Amino acid sequence: MLTDAPFWDSLIAYQRRLKDLPLAEQGFVIRLTVRRSICGAADCPCRTFAEPFSRLAAPHARFTTRLNHALERVGLALAVRAGARLAARLGFGAGRMTLLRRVMALPDPRFSTPRVLGVDDCAIRRGQTYSTLLAGVEEHRVVDVLPTREAGPLAAWLIRHPGVEIICRDRAGAYAEGARRGVPDALQIADRFHLWQGLGRAVETCVAAHRDCSAILRPVACCRRPPDWLPAGRRTTRRPSAGGPSASRPRTPWSTSPVIAQMKSEARP
C-alpha cells in the first residue's frame, strides 16, 4: 500500500459526493471516503496522491461512470431541452447544461471515406459566412465541414481522403474546380434537389419571357344558359361567408342579370 512507504509524511481522508442512478425512483448519492497522501520528498514532481476509483468515477467527477453513460445517451437521443425534461422525470438530477457538457465531451466519431460524396454549401451566418458541408450519400450522415466554399479546401480534403468515386454536388464552379483538382477520375453529378431547382428556374424564365404571348383574358360574364327549372329571383351562387372578401359584393340573380336577359330574348322564336 502507499501508506507503507517510508517517504509518506501524512495521510488525509476526505469525502466525495457522487450522484448515481436513481434507486426506486429516488435520487441516490454515494458518500465516498477517499484517502489522500502527501509526499515529503523535495524532488517529487507530484506532491499529492489520491486514492483512485477508476471503475466508479473519473477524477474530480460528481457523477458515477454509469450515470454519465446514461446522460450521454439521453443527450444524444433527445438533445438538450427535451433530454433535461426526461432526466428530471427519471430522477437523474441533471439540467440541460449538464447534458450539453456530456455531449460536447464525447469524441468526434470517425467515419471512413465515403464512395459517394455529397458537396453543398451551408450558411453559418446567412448572407455573411458560408461553409462547405460534406456528407456520405449512401450512409446519410455528415462527414466533415470545411471553413469556406472555395475550391482549395475541397481539393485538399479529397487528396487527404482517397477513395471517392462519385461527387454529388450543386452547380457551383468552385466545387467543380475543387473536385477536378482533388479527384480527377471521379464522376461529378448533380443531386435531385439542384436538378429540380434548375428546372424550376428555367421554366420561370421561359414563362416570364413569353408573358405577353400567354396572357389569358378573364371572361366578362358567364355565357352558360341557366337551367329551365331554376325559379325566378333565386341566386345561383353560394352565400358569402361573414367577413370574407366578397361579403359586401352584391349578387345579381339569374332573372335580373342583363346578360341572361339578352340570352333569353335571343332564344325566343
Side-chain angles (χ1 to χ4, degrees):
M1 295 177 61
L2 297 178
T3 56
D4 297 337
F7 52 82
W8 294 105
D9 288 349
S10 60
L11 185 65
I12 304 173
Y14 67 97
Q15 282 192 350
R16 292 178 59 183
R17 294 172 56 90
L18 298 174
K19 290 184 179 181
D20 199 5
L21 292 175
L23 180 62
E25 299 182 357
Q26 298 294 329
F28 191 77
V29 179
I30 299 176
R31 294 184 178 180
L32 183 64
T33 301
V34 184
R35 292 176 296 180
R36 183 176 62 183
S37 302
I38 301 177
C39 181
D43 56 347
C44 183
C46 185
R47 297 282 298 176
T48 304
F49 296 86
E51 192 174 7
F53 298 93
S54 57
R55 299 182 61 182
L56 180 62
H60 310 288
R62 298 183 179 181
F63 295 87
T64 60
T65 303
R66 59 180 184 177
L67 180 57
N68 273 331
H69 291 339
L71 294 177
E72 291 171 2
R73 297 189 188 98
V74 172
L76 290 175
L78 299 178
V80 178
R81 296 187 182 274
R85 291 193 295 267
L86 179 61
R89 296 294 299 271
L90 296 177
F92 288 169
R96 58 186 183 90
M97 295 306 299
T98 301
L99 290 176
L100 182 60
R101 285 192 293 268
R102 295 298 180 276
V103 174
M104 293 180 63
L106 293 175
D108 295 334
R110 297 182 177 272
F111 300 128
S112 59
T113 303
R115 188 182 67 89
V116 183
L117 180 67
V119 182
D120 200 355
D121 58 346
C122 61
I124 304 299
R125 189 173 182 181
R126 186 176 295 274
Q128 298 185 11
T129 307
Y130 288 88
S131 300
T132 300
L133 184 67
L134 305 180
V137 178
E138 297 177 334
E139 297 83 5
H140 301 284
R141 61 188 181 188
V142 178
V143 176
D144 202 350
V145 178
L146 303 181
T148 62
R149 51 179 180 179
E150 299 176 356
L154 177 59
W157 190 94
L158 291 173
I159 294 174
R160 293 194 307 267
H161 300 82
V164 178
E165 301 178 3
I166 301 175
I167 298 178
C168 185
R169 61 172 182 83
D170 61 0
R171 301 179 62 184
Y175 292 154
E177 178 64 23
R180 283 194 296 266
R181 288 162 51 183
V183 189
D185 299 334
L187 176 63
Q188 300 186 32
I189 61 175
D191 55 6
R192 290 180 297 179
F193 170 78
H194 291 95
L195 287 176
W196 280 107
Q197 187 182 41
L199 179 61
R201 290 177 179 176
V203 172
E204 183 179 359
T205 303
C206 181
V207 171
H210 299 81
R211 182 176 301 174
D212 298 335
C213 303
S214 60
I216 301 176
L217 298 177
R218 185 177 179 182
V220 180
C222 181
C223 300
R224 186 178 59 181
R225 184 174 180 178
D228 298 335
W229 51 266
L230 188 67
R234 183 173 178 179
R235 303 177 185 271
T236 59
T237 57
R238 295 182 178 179
R239 188 181 300 275
S241 58
S246 60
S248 60
R249 184 185 302 173
R251 298 292 183 176
T252 305
W254 283 100
S255 59
T256 58
S257 175
V259 178
I260 300 302
Q262 182 180 359
M263 292 174 60
K264 288 183 178 180
S265 61
E266 294 177 356
R268 292 175 183 176

